[in-house]
């Protein structure tokens, strides 16, 4: 390997060491100018819409000062004692409060989104019961020869009733129901099975609605329901002349609709046969035989088509006609969520924080692919954006990350990093509540939130995290995605095999993904270091080929991979063959699909499918591969690893380190890498990048430092960069196809031996927080401030400053300050100079202004709110004062912190000066 020399080093930034070259900092090391779109946003719940202009302006100013980029208005249930302040949703007064909010936000350089509705999901008083959710059930009755069916039916809810004998003869019995609901039919000399399909209105109501927002959720399978729902918003905005929110929002799918009155007609129109004709197969229990599975697949596809083509496009059109963008959470839906996400300007995913950990200890543990933090589900939103050319991918961030008031900025940072590598580039905290200044601490709260608000002690240092996110998102929103592979989603295999009626693609249970070959393949690709985006059948239809690359509206890919699909629509297979004919590489893991899905016109569709496959001539290729040349391209079938090597897909070997994850994007002069260590061990060593580069810069988004990296060359000529990342830490690489002018050079600083332990004495003074400021004290031993003997410290939430004086150790440095254990964030000053803010372990930073004889070190440490909340509950202070669900714990039980332990707080040390070793 050949080493490319770098410049000399003279300075030590937080993450690494960089030396300033002569003259001003060059452009290749610049960060993009930060905008409101780059900064994190936050859900902003309005309790009872009890807002007023004075408090709105105060809250918005605090959000901006804390580093937020915007808010998302969601009116919800009210607060006890504040009923007189409530404003009816969408009333003229409410619209005036929205106008004031948007106007003030724009003045403060903040953006505003709003939910199309109150609470969630779409619905309200304008939705009649018959346009709310419909629930469908099927029943099977055995009728003996000579017998009668004694069941009583409601003619209004009976959608179909069919009897079938052993010979397959069918009788439609629906018209034989008398006015009392009994069946006027006798079985005769044969035994019959009778199949009933029953459906009626009875779906859920809007959850957590605001005053004026209560009512049924819409039936998402009924186009008329969406039209009626939007009428109210048409009226509310008809005379509105003020500034508008940026986007309208739709929350995750929590409807419960399995039927609509128009569904039988839509089914017949789209599938080519009537559902009643296959009612026995439709009613068959799981596991289903082949024909029954095909009928259910057709039903599920019809539901998906209705939502994607007839229902939700109405909302998207309504928004765009009025100048709104759309933000949509498609997950939870029974539709093809790739296509549903693709309808939105800003697709949005979410990851919950629940995991295999103590909910009172929200500490990063490296378990990032399981439970409700499943990056492979989150990638459905980013894939839709990448494939369709959407600039931003949002994420509801921080929902139930840990128990209330136990969340740390460290854990939130690690969650955000996982979202980033999954393709998210627009963090929306979940979130903060509007709270008037006269509300007692802790203010107005939402029950499923990381309380990211100015009343929570963690807010004091949250701007450091928000600045980190803004820097990352300024990179991740720029350029274009650089994933090599399109991973086809064989959704028909899922629709044809899953039990039950509809298949809801939820974030809380990955069985719908992990139980299918595509889920297993996605995990393999991730582990191997291959970037990929999922692709739907509809999206495949939009693809073309240019220069051997598969081009979609938003991306360019080296190959399309079909992951062990059994069934594929003939039009999709034809499209894949056409892509190959135009010069693309299409990979089939193991083998080609063998059949078409669904039951409609089955034999004719099978003939078309067979004609397509019969025209392919596969020949042996490398290893176990078989290859068919088609036009200028090829179809390849065989094992995954061999197929990936055969097509030249780039593999980022840094993922060989457990927990090392990345996302790669193109920019005008090369590539950007965001790399995070989500494992539990140090990542340290030379890493080969899978993209050609003449030079590489290292950018630290936590501090804003940037410098050029010394690089080596691997045997194949690819660049190798030295990285050193502690667990939970991250870095950005910027590669260049042509080397820029020489600039600062980066080195990482490794902690060396302890040169001096600062044993104090330490003077501790409480700066801000409550319920009262404890008395200052002096200590030689660094332990939790809750154990100093003052009962006020055990219930205090806020900030204390630790100060001590010391002489510099012998030697020349460079020096690194190691704070040891900190609970939970620290601002550090040395000799009056601010060195920075530390949010996560290891709490280390460089120091460069030591005086040989006398140094003053000041460390402002902020703890969590947990101890103060514990005290409120032990004293039975009524602070949970909200209507509806009020405030529950992470297990959705009544919240009570009175039996919590006292949380460690403050500077626990040991505080050590270390010699820094430079790499």
């Amino acid at each position: 390997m050949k080493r490319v020399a770098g410049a000399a080093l003279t300075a030590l930034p937080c993450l690494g060491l960089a030396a300033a070259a002569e003259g001003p900092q060059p452009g290749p090391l610049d960060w993009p100018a930060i905008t409101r779109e780059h900064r994190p946003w936050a859900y902003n719940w309005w309790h009872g819409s009890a807002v007023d202009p004075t408090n709105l302006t105060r809250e918005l100013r605090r959000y901006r000062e804390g580093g937020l980029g915007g808010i998302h208005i969601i009116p919800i249930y009210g607060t006890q004692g504040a009923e007189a302040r409530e404003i009816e949703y969408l009333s003229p007064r409410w619209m005036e409060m929205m106008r004031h909010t948007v106007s003030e936000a724009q003045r403060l350089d903040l953006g505003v989104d709003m939910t199309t509705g109150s609470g969630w999901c779409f619905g309200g008083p304008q939705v009649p019961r018959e346009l709310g959710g419909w629930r469908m059930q099927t029943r099977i009755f055995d009728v003996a020869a000579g017998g009668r069916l004694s069941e009583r039916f409601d003619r209004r809810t009976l959608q179909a009733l069919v009897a079938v004998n052993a010979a397959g003869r069918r009788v439609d019995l629906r018209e034989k129901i008398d006015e009392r609901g009994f069946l006027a039919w006798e079985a005769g000399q044969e035994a019959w099975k009778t199949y009933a399909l029953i459906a009626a209105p009875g779906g859920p109501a809007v959850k957590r609605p605001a005053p004026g927002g209560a009512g049924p959720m819409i039936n998402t399978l009924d186009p008329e329901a969406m039209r009626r729902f939007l009428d109210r918003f048409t009226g509310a905005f008809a005379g509105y002349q003020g500034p508008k929110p940026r986007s309208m929002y739709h929350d995750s799918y929590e409807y419960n609709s399995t039927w609509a009155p128009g569904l039988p007609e839509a089914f017949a129109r789209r599938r080519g046969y009537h559902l009643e004709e296959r009612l026995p197969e439709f009613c068959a229990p799981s596991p289903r035989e082949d024909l029954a599975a095909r009928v259910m697949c057709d039903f599920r596809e019809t539901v998906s088509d209705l939502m994607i083509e007839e229902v939700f496009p109405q909302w998207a059109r309504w928004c765009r006609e009025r100048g709104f963008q759309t933000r949509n959470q498609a997950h939870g839906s029974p539709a093809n969520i790739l296509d549903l996400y693709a309808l939105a300007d800003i697709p949005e995913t979410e990851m919950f924080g629940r995991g295999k950990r103590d909910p009172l200890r929200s500490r990063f543990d490296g378990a990032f692919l399981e439970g409700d933090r499943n990056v492979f589900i989150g990638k459905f939103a980013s894939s839709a954006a990448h494939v369709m050319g959407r600039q931003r991918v949002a994420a509801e961030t921080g929902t139930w990350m840990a128990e209330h008031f136990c969340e740390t900025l460290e854990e939130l940072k690690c969650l955000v990093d996982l979202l980033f590598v999954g393709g998210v580039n627009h963090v929306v905290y979940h979130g903060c509540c509007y709270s008037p200044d006269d509300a007692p601490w802790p203010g107005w709260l939402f029950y499923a939130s990381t309380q990211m608000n100015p009343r929570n002690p963690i807010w004091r240092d949250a701007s450091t995290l928000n600045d980190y996110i803004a820097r990352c998102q300024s990179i991740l929103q720029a350029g274009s995605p650089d994933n090599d592979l399109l991973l086809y989603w064989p959704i028909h295999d899922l629709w044809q095999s899953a039990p039950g009626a509809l298949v809801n693609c939820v974030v809380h249970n990955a069985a719908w993904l992990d139980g299918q070959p595509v889920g297993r393949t996605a995990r393999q690709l991730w582990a191997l270091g291959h970037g990929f985006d999922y692709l739907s059948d509809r999206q495949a239809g939009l693809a073309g080929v240019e220069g051997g690359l598969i081009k979609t509206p938003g991306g360019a890919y080296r190959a399309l991979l079909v992951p062990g699909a059994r069934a594929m629509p003939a039009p999709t297979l034809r499209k894949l063959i056409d892509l190959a004919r135009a010069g693309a590489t299409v990979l089939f893991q193991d083998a080609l699909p063998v059949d078409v899905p669904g039951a409609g016109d089955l034999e004719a569709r099978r003939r078309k499918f067979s004609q397509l496959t019969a025209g392919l001539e596969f020949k042996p290729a490398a290893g176990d591969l078989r290859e068919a040349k088609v036009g200028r391209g090829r179809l390849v079938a065989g094992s995954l690893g061999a197929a990936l090597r055969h097509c030249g897909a780039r593999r980022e070997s840094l993922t060989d380190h457990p927990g090392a994850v990345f996302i790669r994007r193109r920019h005008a002069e090369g590539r950007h890498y965001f790399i995070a260590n989500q494992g539990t061990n140090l990542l340290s060593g030379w890493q080969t990048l899978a993209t050609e580069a003449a030079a590489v810069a290292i950018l630290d988004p936590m501090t804003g430092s940037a410098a050029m990296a010394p690089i080596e060359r691997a045997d194949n000529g690819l660049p190798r960069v030295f990285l050193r990342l502690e667990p939970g830490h991250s870095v950005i690489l910027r590669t260049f196809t042509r080397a820029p002018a020489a600039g600062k050079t980066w080195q990482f600083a490794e902690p060396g031996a302890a040169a001096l332990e600062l044993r104090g004495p330490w003077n501790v003074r409480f700066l801000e927080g409550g319920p009262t400021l404890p008395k200052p004290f002096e200590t030689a031993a660094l332990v939790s401030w809750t154990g100093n003997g003052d009962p006020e410290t055990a219930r205090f939430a806020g900030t204390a400053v630790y100060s001590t004086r010391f002489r510099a150790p012998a030697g020349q440095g460079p020096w690194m300050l190691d704070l040891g254990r900190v609970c939970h964030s620290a601002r550090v000053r040395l000799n009056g100079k601010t060195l920075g803010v530390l949010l996560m372990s290891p709490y280390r930073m460089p120091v460069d202004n030591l005086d040989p004889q006398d140094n003053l070190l000041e460390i402002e440490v902020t703890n969590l709110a947990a101890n103060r909340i514990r005290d409120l509950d032990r004293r039975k202070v009524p602070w949970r004062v909200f209507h509806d669900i009020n405030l529950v714990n992470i297990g959705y039980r009544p919240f009570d912190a009175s039996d919590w332990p006292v949380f460690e707080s403050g500077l626990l040390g040991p505080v050590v000066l270390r010699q820094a070793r430079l790499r």
Side-chain angles (χ1 to χ4, degrees), residues 356-378:
K356 300 174 182 177
R357 59 168 65 87
D358 180 348
L360 299 184
R361 295 289 186 265
S362 176
R363 176 81 175 183
F364 172 71
D365 62 6
F368 62 93
L369 298 180
E370 309 301 332
D372 294 336
R373 287 194 185 184
N374 191 314
V375 71
F376 305 111
I377 294 176

Side-chain angles (χ1 to χ4, degrees), residues 36-43 68-70 246 327 346 348 392-398 412-413 415-417 419-420 424-430 465-466 468-470 472-473 476-477:
R36 70 177 71 162
E37 301 285 353
H38 298 147
R39 300 193 299 269
W41 290 35
Y43 289 74
L68 295 186
R246 176 194 69 168
R327 252 178 66 214
I346 308 174
E348 178 165 307
R392 284 179 286 277
V393 183
E396 175 186 319
T397 305
L412 192 52
K413 188 265 186 192
L415 172 62
V416 167
D417 286 352
L419 292 167
F420 285 160
V424 168
N425 58 16
H426 188 28
V427 164
V428 186
Y429 289 134
H430 196 268
L465 175 61
N466 295 337
Y468 165 83
I469 292 171
C472 290
Q473 293 188 158
L476 297 175
Q477 289 180 17

Side-chain angles (χ1 to χ4, degrees), residues 36-241:
R36 70 177 71 162
E37 301 285 353
H38 298 147
R39 300 193 299 269
W41 290 35
Y43 289 74
N44 193 227
W45 295 282
W46 287 7
H47 279 281
S49 298
V51 299
D52 65 76
T54 300
N55 280 295
L56 281 169
T57 296
R58 287 173 182 160
E59 290 281 84
L60 290 168
R61 184 175 63 250
R62 292 162 182 157
Y63 301 153
R64 180 63 186 90
E65 290 170 351
L68 295 186
I71 64 166
H72 166 184
I73 299 170
I74 308 180
I76 56 171
Y77 50 85
T79 302
Q80 298 168 27
E83 291 82 0
R85 304 183 186 184
E86 292 178 353
I87 302 171
E88 183 176 349
Y89 181 56
L90 293 185
S91 65
R93 176 66 175 160
W94 194 95
M95 297 296 289
E96 172 58 23
M97 292 302 98
M98 185 198 72
R99 184 205 63 77
H100 176 84
T101 300
V102 179
S103 297
E104 285 294 274
Q106 291 179 352
R107 181 179 66 83
L108 295 166
D109 192 26
L110 292 168
V112 177
D113 286 352
M114 67 175 282
T115 296
T116 315
S118 77
W120 66 91
C121 299
F122 284 3
Q126 72 271 38
V127 179
R129 185 171 182 270
E130 63 271 16
L131 292 178
W134 280 56
R135 296 179 179 177
M136 177 266 294
Q137 62 172 315
T138 59
R139 301 183 65 184
I140 304 174
F141 306 94
D142 289 312
V143 183
R148 301 174 66 92
L149 188 61
S150 61
E151 187 76 12
R152 188 173 184 178
F153 297 98
D154 185 338
R155 293 176 61 93
R156 296 169 300 178
T157 63
L158 184 65
Q159 307 298 319
L161 185 65
V162 173
V164 182
N165 66 9
R169 181 178 167 228
R170 301 178 182 226
V171 179
D172 188 342
L173 301 178
R174 189 180 180 197
E175 299 304 318
K176 300 182 184 295
I177 302 295
D178 64 25
E179 293 180 355
R180 298 176 301 160
F182 292 105
L183 180 62
W185 173 79
E186 188 174 292
Q189 298 179 357
E190 301 173 285
W192 296 74
K193 279 190 178 294
T194 305
Y195 302 88
L197 192 158
I198 301 164
V206 172
K207 292 185 177 181
R208 322 303 177 207
M217 289 187 192
I218 66 168
N219 186 346
T220 55
L221 315 186
D222 190 338
E224 176 60 20
M226 181 65 84
R227 188 194 67 76
R228 188 77 63 89
F229 167 73
L230 291 171
D231 281 348
R232 186 183 185 199
F233 295 89
T234 300
F237 280 93
Y240 178 75
Q241 299 298 319

Side-chain angles (χ1 to χ4, degrees), residues 722-755:
F722 183 84
L723 294 181
R724 188 182 190 281
L725 292 178
E726 295 281 356
H729 288 242
S730 52
V731 70
I732 290 172
L733 304 183
R734 177 181 290 164
T735 74
F736 302 90
T737 54
R738 290 185 296 179
K744 298 183 296 183
T745 303
W746 187 281
Q747 280 189 331
F748 287 92
E750 299 178 349

